Amino acid sequence: LEVVSADGKPVEGVMLAVGGRPHPVGATDARGRIPASFDPAQATSIALLAPDGRQLETRIEPSSEKKKKEEVRRLVLADRLSVVGRLIDADTLRAIPGGVIWDQANPADGTVTDRAGGFVLSGAVDSRLEITAGAPGYLGGGSQEFQLSDDGRPGPTLALHPAAAIEGTVTDADGNPMSGAEVEVQVKRAPGGMRIEIGRPTPMPRNVTTSEGKFRLSPLDPDNSYIVKAKSEGFAPDESTVSGLEPYATKSGVSLTLSGGQTVIGALVDPSGNPIRDASIELTPGQSRHGMMIVMDSASAAVSFTGYSDDDGKFRVSGLPAGKFDLDASRSGFATRRVPAIEMVEDAAPVDLGEIT
């Protein structure tokens, strides 16, 4: 194979990858050449990647003609065009230095904005890029399509909205900082409403606490109020509502306390009274009924507490908050058994469900 530019000059150092899932096999020499052997009976996909970012995907087609053992196949890399764009703050219109810009199809070619918020996009002439931008302290900018044309048009100007942050601590019931607690956040929405999202939902910030029990959640849209939740194995979760966020600012002083929580115990047996080991136990917030409808809060639906039965069929699940829960016991070879509406009372003795068949 001989790889050349649009002006016919050889291109050195072009990586050749072969197959539907490209496997690198070597790079072109100073003459732009690389030896490669192909099965003449079937088409083979190949990809070329030049050091300057130019790419070419093509196929070596099968041939019924009887040719020489060796032949030169010339492949042409199209010229690469570069345009300059700018990343700015959507509120102040000032430049955002240190932001990252990348094409969704080629994230490895991402670039960092300079002090003036400038960045360079490169690619084949008339190629279409799906550009995404991000920067510390700003909300994600989604994506924007841009076509690289040699008609003199400038590069795109992208704008990011400033974000807010939440900081706080997680402690146990005695006030001791809890290390490694999981902290997550969700948007607080008005009760009784319905929300329909099309496409993949935007992931929300998550974190784990430091050795001092501290956490930070960012970036967050300052126009929303949030529910901050903390959990740790063996403890009842806690949550706090946070509102009044401001752009560029950190809301600090959020405090969450994880208590030992409530406990449910019991034993699983088969119809003959024999203990069932290694059964899965899952407790989820109870469902409420309104007429013929079963209603479950979307946030509560994701919360569950799990455990397993031991050799004697006994199980123990701790760290539950006060409230009503449905218990599902399941094991391969048995029908799942549900125990509904188990009421957990704060600071009460463990709830003993006895034997469950």
Side-chain angles (χ1 to χ4, degrees), residues 240-328:
S240 177
T241 299
V242 180
S243 56
L245 300 182
E246 297 180 359
Y248 313 105
T250 297
K251 185 89 167 183
S252 58
V254 178
S255 179
L256 299 169
T257 302
L258 302 185
S259 65
Q262 316 311 120
T263 300
V264 60
I265 61 176
L268 301 180
V269 296
D270 65 17
S272 300
N274 301 312
I276 300 177
R277 60 179 292 184
D278 297 330
S280 173
I281 310 296
E282 182 178 24
L283 288 105
T284 53
Q287 301 170 343
S288 59
R289 288 184 175 272
H290 293 267
M292 297 297 291
M293 294 177 62
I294 295 178
V295 179
M296 176 177 284
D297 176 69
S298 60
S300 299
V303 177
S304 65
F305 301 85
T306 59
Y308 293 90
S309 59
D310 61 18
D311 291 344
D312 297 322
K314 296 180 180 180
F315 63 86
R316 181 185 187 93
V317 180
S318 301
L320 285 85
K324 287 187 177 180
F325 291 84
D326 296 332
L327 180 147
D328 289 307

Side-chain angles (χ1 to χ4, degrees), residues 324-341:
K324 287 187 177 180
F325 291 84
D326 296 332
L327 180 147
D328 289 307
S330 58
R331 191 185 189 283
S332 176
F334 293 85
T336 297
R337 175 70 186 275
R338 165 163 287 196
V339 180

